[in-house]
């Protein structure tokens, strides 16, 4: 090989070596970082649905206390009518009511009034009771519908004896209680003042007596005070299936009918053409 050809080949090899070295260096240089794409915005974590605060519950009432007045029950409402404070009542025809000399007087026409206390059996208290001290003027109409009606489990929007839902017991100056179970006796089309039964009482209401209504859900009981007893049992109502069963003072069954009263509600009064005079109202709740 002549000298010129050798020099040419050597030069060519050197050039090729430099080219390969340059390419290798270029491949190892840092690659260009691509422009970042828009990052998806993360949705905010939804607030957890607040858990409803459960209502407080009470211990079930013992068998011996069911339907029995309890002296240690909590006083929820009391009115002795020392002043005109009828704003604490829900009233129907309140213009016929008069607060005078420490008493509530309803001398004519009809009126309904409800202490503004709703009872929720088994939630706030296991049993409720209301006591009302009153009398009725002698010589007025002695018909059962001319009475002071004392009721429980009623709807405040319709607190009169023509309405279903309440359990009613009515009193006038006689020695009788007139029982209207299920809201004025709206059974089978009967008029409210026809569907009732009578219970003889040991004393009349020409003088002050206290009637106490006790409701524990399973039992509704009415009592009155007499010369011999603080709590003389007038009646006790219980529930069997879809029926209400009522027992008298001696424990004998005196009424059985389809149950039409509400599960809960309010205590109330409906004075229907009875010249009544109320001295005190007290409502209690037993935890």
């Amino acid at each position: 090989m002549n000298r010129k050809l050798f020099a040419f080949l050597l030069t060519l090899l050197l050039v090729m070596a430099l080219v390969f070295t340059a390419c290798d260096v270029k491949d190892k240089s840092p690659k260009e970082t691509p422009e970042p794409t828009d990052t998806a915005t993360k949705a905010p974590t939804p607030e957890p649905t607040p858990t409803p605060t459960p209502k407080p519950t009470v211990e079930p009432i013992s068998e011996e206390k069911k339907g029995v007045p309890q002296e240690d029950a909590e006083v929820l409402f009391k009115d002795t009518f020392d002043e005109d404070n009828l704003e604490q009542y829900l009233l129907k025809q309140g213009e016929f009511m008069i607060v005078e000399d420490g008493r509530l007087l309803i001398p004519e026409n009809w009126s309904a009034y409800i202490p503004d206390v709703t009872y929720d059996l088994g939630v706030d208290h296991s049993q409720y009771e209301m006591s009302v001290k009153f009398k009725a003027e002698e010589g007025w109409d002695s018909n059962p519908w001319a009475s002071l009606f004392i009721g429980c489990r009623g709807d405040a929007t319709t607190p009169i004896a023509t309405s279903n839902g309440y359990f009613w017991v009515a009193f006038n100056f006689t020695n009788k209680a007139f029982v209207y179970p299920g809201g004025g006796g709206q059974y089978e089309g009967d008029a409210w003042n026809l569907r009732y039964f009578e219970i003889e009482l040991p004393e009349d209401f020409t003088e002050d007596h206290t009637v106490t209504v006790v409701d524990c859900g399973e039992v509704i009981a009415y009592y009155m005070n007499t010369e011999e007893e603080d709590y003389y049992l007038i009646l006790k109502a219980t529930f069997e299936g879809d029926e209400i069963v009522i027992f008298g003072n001696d424990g004998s069954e005196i009424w059985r009918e389809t149950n039409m009263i509400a599960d809960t509600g309010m205590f109330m009064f409906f004075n229907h053409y009875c010249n009544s005079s109320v001295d005190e109202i007290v409502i209690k709740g037993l935890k």
Side-chain angles (χ1 to χ4, degrees):
M1 181 181 298
N2 60 40
R3 181 175 294 198
K4 288 184 180 181
L5 180 59
F6 177 78
F8 172 76
L9 292 175
L10 181 60
T11 301
L12 180 61
L13 289 173
L14 289 174
V15 170
M16 291 178 64
L18 290 174
V19 170
F20 282 122
T21 300
C23 289
D24 187 57
V25 171
K26 183 177 181 181
D27 288 341
K28 291 182 179 180
S29 63
K31 294 183 178 179
E32 184 178 358
T33 304
E35 290 293 326
T37 57
D38 292 338
T39 304
T41 304
K42 184 178 181 182
T45 303
E47 292 293 328
T49 303
T51 303
T53 302
K55 290 185 177 181
T57 56
V58 293
E59 292 294 325
I61 188 171
S62 61
E63 289 296 324
E64 63 271 15
K65 291 183 177 181
K66 288 181 179 180
V68 179
Q70 302 296 316
E71 295 297 331
D72 60 345
E74 178 187 359
V75 175
L76 306 175
F77 179 96
K78 185 174 183 178
D79 193 0
T80 56
F81 302 103
D82 293 327
E83 57 186 33
D84 186 345
N85 54 2
L86 293 180
E87 68 276 0
Q88 61 184 333
Y89 296 88
L90 307 175
L91 304 177
K92 292 285 186 179
Q93 297 210 144
E95 63 270 23
F96 295 107
M97 299 182 185
I98 303 169
V99 176
E100 184 175 277
D101 298 329
R103 301 183 74 93
L104 174 64
L105 311 178
I106 308 179
E108 61 180 334
N109 214 299
W110 69 263
S111 297
Y113 53 112
I114 307 172
D116 196 4
V117 178
T118 301
Y119 55 88
D120 198 352
L121 288 163
V123 177
D124 297 319
H125 297 84
S126 58
Q127 178 167 279
Y128 290 84
E129 60 186 77
M130 177 181 68
S131 296
V132 50
K133 184 178 180 181
F134 70 98
K135 62 182 179 180
E137 187 70 27
E138 189 174 7
W140 284 59
D141 191 346
S142 61
N143 285 312
W145 48 87
S147 299
L148 174 63
F149 292 69
I150 299 177
C152 62
R153 298 200 193 184
D155 178 355
T157 61
T158 52
I160 58 178
T162 57
S163 306
N164 286 334
Y166 290 110
F167 186 92
W168 296 95
V169 180
F171 305 85
N172 54 31
F173 63 87
T174 66
N175 65 334
K176 295 180 179 180
F178 308 103
V179 185
Y180 296 79
Q186 298 295 305
Y187 296 101
E188 301 172 5
D190 284 349
W192 74 268
N193 60 340
L194 297 179
R195 192 73 165 187
Y196 69 93
F197 63 92
E198 298 180 3
I199 294 178
E200 295 286 334
L201 302 176
E203 297 173 12
D204 64 39
F205 279 81
T206 56
E207 299 295 332
D208 276 331
H209 283 80
T210 299
V211 170
T212 300
V213 189
V214 185
D215 187 358
C216 71
E218 298 176 38
V219 176
I220 296 174
Y222 279 70
Y223 300 82
M224 67 177 288
N225 72 308
T226 67
E227 289 186 1
E228 297 181 357
E229 297 183 57
D230 290 335
Y231 296 105
Y232 171 88
L233 178 65
I234 298 173
L235 63 85
K236 180 173 70 172
T238 62
F239 304 92
E240 296 181 9
D242 62 352
E243 292 185 320
I244 183 170
V245 185
I246 301 175
F247 302 89
N249 177 267
D250 62 357
S252 61
E253 181 180 321
I254 54 179
W255 182 272
R256 181 182 289 264
E257 185 67 79
T258 301
N259 177 28
M260 296 181 68
I261 69 172
D263 293 331
T264 188
M266 307 179 84
F267 293 112
M268 64 82 60
F269 305 85
F270 172 53
N271 188 29
H272 191 254
Y273 295 95
C274 174
N275 189 2
S276 66
S277 170
V278 182
D279 182 62
E280 182 180 83
I281 297 172
V282 180
I283 297 177
K284 294 181 178 181
L286 182 68
K287 292 286 189 182

